[in-house]
Amino acid sequence: MPARQLAAQTVPTTGGNVVSTDKVGAASGVAGLGADSKVPQAQLPTPKITVGITAPATPAAGDVWIDTN
């Protein structure tokens, strides 16, 4: 199958879906990518970890619990 060329498009310089570079990796901004194309550990939220036998009564998104039995 021959390669297809994409049609030229105009890239907006402001507004639209553009993210300013000062927002990448910043608090309340967007996560950047490391050299391995993954989000660096430092930019991931720290999960709440509960150690015990039963799950919390009202677990929240991102909570982790460990069954020690």
Side-chain angles (χ1 to χ4, degrees):
M1 176 183 261
R4 294 179 15 189
Q5 184 173 1
L6 297 174
Q9 296 182 0
T10 303
V11 177
T13 55
T14 58
N17 293 326
V18 176
V19 175
S20 150
T21 55
D22 65 331
K23 299 291 184 195
V24 177
S28 298
V30 297
L33 296 178
D36 58 358
S37 298
K38 296 179 181 177
V39 176
Q41 182 71 34
Q43 293 182 29
L44 296 174
T46 304
K48 176 182 167 189
I49 298 177
T50 303
V51 176
I53 296 173
T54 58
T58 55
D63 284 358
V64 175
W65 61 91
I66 301 168
D67 186 346
T68 56
N69 270 343

